[in-house]
Amino acid sequence: MNEKKQKKAAGDGIPGKPGPESPPVAEPTTPRDPLPPKADQSAPEPYSPTGAPTDGDRGRSAQRGAYLTTAQGNRPYDSDHSLKAGRRGPVLLQDHHLREKITHFDHERIPERVVHARGAAAHGVFRGYGSAEQITKAAFLGEDVETPVFVRFSTVLGSRGSADAVRDTRGFATKFYTTEGVFDLVGNNIPVFFIQDAIKFPDVVHAAKPHPDREIPQAQSAHDTFWDFVTLHTEATHHTLWNMSDRGIPRSYRTMEGFGVHTFRMVNARGETTLVKFHWKPKLGIHSLVWEEAQISNGMDPDFHRRDLADAIEAGAFPEWELGVQTFPDNEEQSFEGIDLLDPTNIVPEELAPVQPIGLLTLNANPTNFFAETEQVAFHPGHLVPGIDITDDPLLAGRLFSYIDTQITRLGGPNFAQLPINRPHAPVNDMLRDGMHQTAVHRGTAPYRPNSLDGGCPFLAGRDEGAYIEVPVDLPAAKKERGAPASFDDHFSQPRRFWLSMTPVEREHIIGAYTFELNKCHETAIKQRALQVLANIDAELCQGVARGLGLAAPDPDRPLAAVEPSPALSQLGRQWPVEGRVVGIVADEGCDLDAVRSARGSILDAGMVPLVIAPAGGALQNGSTQPVAVQRTFATARSVEFDAVLLAGVTGPGADAYGARDAKAADPAAPADAASDPRVLLLLGEAYRHGKAIGAWGGAGRVLQEAGVPEDAAGVVVGDGAGGILDRVFALLASHRVWDRFPAGA
């Protein structure tokens, strides 16, 4: 058998197998040496650094041995838990395994961020309401105090060149340039995380990133290594369920929630402490794409989210979020209503602890230079101000070390705080000197203290002079050990609460997401293991996914948790402002251009963005002294860009409406005798399928008929003129989608 046939036989004739052997369902526990490479893989030929051939096989530089070791060959007995002062105590700096593991991880990519590489950002202002003064002395939260901010949104998994509308967690990082120094609130659009302890962060990211042999798939979790990890490490179940929900594919950054993830401690002027969780609530509401929209967007416009953010700010539709906090008593257990507040895989339902607004964020300016600002901004959870302190969350403990270590590599040394986008808006006298990229020109001869040569400066501030003083916390007598408290062991109650809180439409989307992702996995064992995890959440969820995978749904291997739903977790059922929405108006030279101009004006007056879609670019004239500018053509427009679509009459085909020029114009599904451009029919069909409001006048009912859109369907508004139609379309937009078009499954 030749080499090519051997490789084909080894892979069962189907490419994509992630490893040389199929894994078992259960986690392997019998030690064995590393697996050999796949038949289609080869290592570089053995040469010395100076180009001389050397003896030895090509695998001599691969990992060896059956047991996990440190880089020095030491065998740790536990790689899941940081070394702590007691299972609920703080993480110890002497944990050499934690520091080696995370330090190496932090330096694995240069110069791109290891995670959150693809981002978009904006400048803005934060105005405090003063309502937090009872729980914190942080000056920027005082009444009507305005603080400049820089906010960066990002995806987690993809590289800088990946697409925006992927199913992924989003970063929501805010840098407050306060009068007391920089405060960084470094959060996500999902309130929980995959892991409970930072020592596992390299593991979850290695599992979620592209496979190391092929560097695919890019910017997605629909592959074997991700699902292998999260089905073996079930503390990831809650975050995974959020990611498989509509939260994993936001409509825009402007309609995305943000969360601080961890529990923080606030301190007021009297020294009293309160535990809090941070929330960002978008003024426009929480909205998502449907999965087909995301797929279309990633092909038509990979920059969909960053373009939307920049365009909205440029158009004056400034995005806004309220910052809110859930507050909890700072008790010895650091728990609330039986929920462990130190476990970052937990939420506290808003019905138990309402979110209290404490300030308003407005983004009002785009960056001038993407690299200098968006790419070089450096966040760190340890950038704190008086009145805000940390807790003993073991994930947060690792982040406090990891972020600053990462910046040293990414930004070329320890002086990254001197880059313009990172500079504090408060006096800095830190006694830190020299290093790469030092741009300050320090004076004096005594960068140490105490000193007399520089007049004793800098001096230490006292409590009444704005000093940052950590909250003193009594630490119980405890033994040094690796482990987690028993309260960290429940991995299914919170995912079940999330599932039960979803509406039927949202549940269908979750089932579809799991089915898509797991069908992208090669190994049946991983799919079976995932179904067992889902069975421990809910039978309906497990059975729905199992049907799509063609596998049997297992029974749960533990009792299902008895939890109450939290309606606040659902994105449906509320009305939201329509400012900043995008409305497409389909028109051509034969339409009533006065009606088109009137519709454009009404849309602008409502704070939305109208985009005229015509057969060709330029302007629609039709003998009018007031031409109508065209923003999109039939060739460049696609439904995902619009929140609603208006038809201003019957539009004929464009001059480029043939398949050799534009394949979309040769849609075989379009009626043979259709008078309309096939690309308009495609746009309407997609908009209808995705639950978007559609309005039509000027005889455009015929176009709807050709597109297969019923005139009497929910969310379809047809009339003689634009006036009354616009009011009804605007009302429909307040619900984001026409949800009645999404019937629940069997």
Side-chain angles (χ1 to χ4, degrees):
M1 186 182 296
N2 63 34
E3 183 180 0
K4 186 173 182 180
K5 288 183 178 179
Q6 285 179 334
K7 291 180 179 180
K8 185 174 181 180
D12 298 324
I14 302 174
K17 187 177 177 65
E21 296 180 8
S22 293
V25 174
E27 179 180 3
T29 56
T30 303
R32 59 175 291 179
D33 285 331
L35 297 178
K38 292 168 57 182
D40 63 306
Q41 297 173 323
S42 178
E45 293 187 32
Y47 277 79
S48 77
T50 57
T54 60
D55 296 331
D57 62 43
R58 298 189 182 193
R60 67 185 304 173
S61 60
Q63 68 269 34
R64 297 188 303 121
Y67 294 92
L68 175 70
T69 74
T70 67
Q72 313 308 317
N74 181 282
R75 295 181 179 180
Y77 68 90
D78 184 334
S79 192
D80 287 350
H81 304 97
S82 299
L83 194 64
K84 308 180 187 74
R87 294 202 166 198
R88 293 185 59 76
V91 173
L92 300 179
L93 183 62
Q94 72 181 72
D95 189 349
H96 62 91
H97 180 42
L98 164 68
R99 287 185 287 115
E100 179 191 76
K101 187 175 179 180
I102 288 188
T103 298
H104 192 282
F105 169 76
D106 290 341
H107 297 261
E108 284 181 355
R109 302 285 190 278
I110 56 170
E112 183 179 278
R113 287 171 170 86
V114 179
V115 288
H116 299 278
R118 180 172 180 82
H123 296 275
V125 64
F126 178 84
R127 178 174 59 84
Y129 291 163
S131 53
E133 291 179 342
Q134 292 300 311
I135 59 173
T136 180
K137 59 185 179 183
F140 78 97
L141 293 173
E143 186 173 4
D144 291 331
V145 174
E146 292 195 348
T147 301
V149 297
F150 189 72
V151 180
R152 186 177 188 270
F153 305 102
S154 55
T155 53
V156 172
L157 298 181
S159 66
R160 280 189 62 190
S162 58
D164 279 347
V166 294
R167 184 178 294 281
D168 195 2
T169 306
R170 265 74 182 175
F172 193 133
T174 306
K175 186 176 289 290
F176 298 82
Y177 303 95
T178 85
T179 57
E180 299 176 298
V182 167
F183 170 55
D184 286 345
L185 182 53
V186 194
N188 289 332
N189 74 319
I190 291 177
V192 292
F193 205 63
F194 285 109
I195 52 175
Q196 297 166 325
D197 192 309
I199 201 170
K200 297 297 292 181
F201 194 69
D203 299 295
V204 66
V205 175
H206 285 168
K209 281 284 190 176
H211 291 203
D213 52 354
R214 299 184 175 194
E215 187 65 10
I216 56 174
Q218 176 63 242
Q220 57 181 298
S221 55
H223 55 90
D224 289 81
T225 58
F226 173 81
W227 288 98
D228 184 40
F229 176 82
V230 299
T231 55
L232 291 172
H233 205 68
T234 54
E235 69 190 49
T237 301
H238 195 194
H239 187 119
T240 304
L241 185 59
W242 276 76
N243 218 29
M244 293 303 106
S245 77
D246 291 343
R247 304 283 188 137
I249 40 174
R251 161 63 180 83
S252 67
Y253 293 135
R254 298 181 291 129
T255 59
M256 186 178 81
E257 269 188 303
F259 303 91
V261 179
H262 308 287
T263 300
F264 292 83
R265 179 177 279 113
M266 282 189 162
V267 190
N268 65 16
R270 298 182 296 277
E272 300 163 335
T273 61
T274 304
L275 299 181
V276 304
K277 284 184 174 291
F278 290 107
H279 293 247
W280 290 110
K281 298 285 189 182
K283 284 287 197 176
L284 294 178
I286 312 153
H287 309 301
S288 299
L289 299 171
V290 297
W291 182 227
E292 187 187 24
E293 281 184 297
Q295 293 172 305
I296 294 170
S297 168
N298 289 333
M300 291 292 293
D301 186 3
D303 306 305
F304 185 65
H305 284 155
R306 60 170 60 178
R307 189 188 311 281
D308 175 272
L309 178 67
D311 285 354
I313 293 173
E314 184 177 1
F318 297 149
E320 292 184 325
W321 290 260
E322 276 195 316
L323 179 62
V325 290
Q326 290 178 294
T327 62
F328 319 101
D330 191 0
N331 53 36
E332 184 177 356
E333 297 78 19
Q334 296 180 82
S335 66
F336 181 78
E337 298 288 340
I339 299 170
D340 194 325
L341 298 176
L342 298 187
D343 182 350
T345 68
N346 283 343
I347 65 163
V348 177
E350 293 183 28
E351 291 78 10
L352 297 179
V355 176
Q356 305 168 45
I358 60 174
L360 179 68
L361 167 69
T362 303
L363 298 183
N364 55 22
N366 287 309
T368 300
N369 183 278
F370 185 92
F371 177 79
E373 300 166 84
T374 307
E375 194 61 22
Q376 290 197 126
V377 65
F379 296 96
H380 176 34
H383 292 164
L384 302 166
V385 292
I388 303 175
D389 202 349
I390 61 168
T391 59
D392 291 333
D393 178 334
L395 177 61
L396 178 57
R399 292 180 73 199
L400 293 172
F401 170 79
S402 178
Y403 275 67
I404 195 167
D405 185 49
T406 299
Q407 310 303 353
I408 290 172
T409 288
R410 281 201 68 249
L411 300 174
N415 292 311
F416 59 86
Q418 295 183 21
L419 292 167
I421 192 63
N422 296 320
R423 291 173 184 169
H425 293 195
V428 174
N429 193 346
D430 54 19
M431 295 194 302
L432 304 176
R433 294 294 186 267
D434 306 337
M436 295 179 67
H437 310 304
Q438 175 62 257
T439 59
V441 182
H442 296 101
R443 291 184 247 176
T445 60
Y448 54 84
R449 67 167 317 279
N451 75 73
S452 62
L453 293 177
D454 281 347
C457 185
F459 300 91
L460 292 177
R463 184 181 299 272
D464 297 332
E465 296 157 321
Y468 184 90
I469 301 174
E470 290 83 1
V471 176
V473 177
D474 292 329
L475 299 179
K479 63 180 179 181
K480 181 176 68 177
E481 61 178 320
R482 296 188 187 274
S487 56
F488 277 38
D489 291 341
D490 179 6
H491 300 163
F492 295 103
S493 295
Q494 293 239 340
R496 180 161 173 78
R497 186 198 309 276
F498 184 84
W499 169 260
L500 294 177
S501 304
M502 297 294 100
T503 62
V505 170
E506 291 169 304
R507 292 186 185 185
E508 288 298 314
H509 291 171
I510 291 172
I511 291 172
Y514 271 102
T515 303
F516 177 90
E517 297 255 329
L518 291 169
N519 267 321
K520 287 283 188 175
C521 293
H522 191 283
E523 299 294 351
T524 301
I526 291 174
K527 301 175 189 180
Q528 291 172 326
R529 197 187 304 139
L531 289 174
Q532 185 61 66
V533 171
L534 298 182
N536 293 334
I537 299 174
D538 187 84
E540 176 192 351
L541 171 60
C542 181
Q543 291 165 3
V545 176
R547 282 193 294 269
L549 299 180
L551 298 173
D555 294 324
D557 59 15
R558 67 199 68 202
L560 296 181
V563 293
E564 291 295 322
S566 170
L569 295 175
S570 172
Q571 295 182 206
L572 275 60
R574 283 167 282 181
Q575 299 285 297
W576 302 99
V578 298
E579 286 86 355
R581 293 310 185 103
V582 179
V583 180
I585 308 174
V586 181
D588 67 5
E589 292 283 355
C591 295
D592 182 350
L593 296 188
D594 289 335
V596 173
R597 275 190 294 272
S598 175
R600 286 187 78 256
S602 298
I603 294 167
L604 287 168
D605 290 343
M608 294 185 284
V609 178
L611 298 179
V612 174
I613 310 164
L620 298 176
Q621 187 90 24
N622 195 17
S624 173
T625 57
Q626 293 181 284
V628 175
V630 174
Q631 288 80 39
R632 300 290 185 271
T633 66
F634 294 170
T636 61
R638 201 66 187 266
S639 61
V640 67
E641 187 174 8
F642 310 107
D643 296 292
V645 176
L646 303 176
L647 295 173
V650 179
T651 53
D656 60 346
Y658 54 94
R661 179 71 58 82
D662 185 353
K664 298 190 300 299
D667 183 3
D673 59 346
S676 301
D677 192 298
R679 295 163 297 185
V680 172
L681 305 183
L682 175 65
L683 184 148
L684 290 171
E686 288 174 351
Y688 179 76
R689 196 160 63 245
H690 301 154
K692 295 179 178 178
I694 299 173
W697 67 87
R702 173 185 173 183
V703 184
L704 295 177
Q705 183 179 6
E706 291 177 345
V709 176
E711 290 189 31
D712 58 352
V716 178
V717 186
V718 181
D720 296 328
I725 289 174
L726 287 179
D727 291 339
R728 293 167 65 186
V729 168
F730 292 175
L732 290 165
L733 277 171
S735 298
H736 181 55
R737 294 189 194 275
V738 183
W739 294 108
D740 291 345
R741 292 200 207 133
F742 295 91

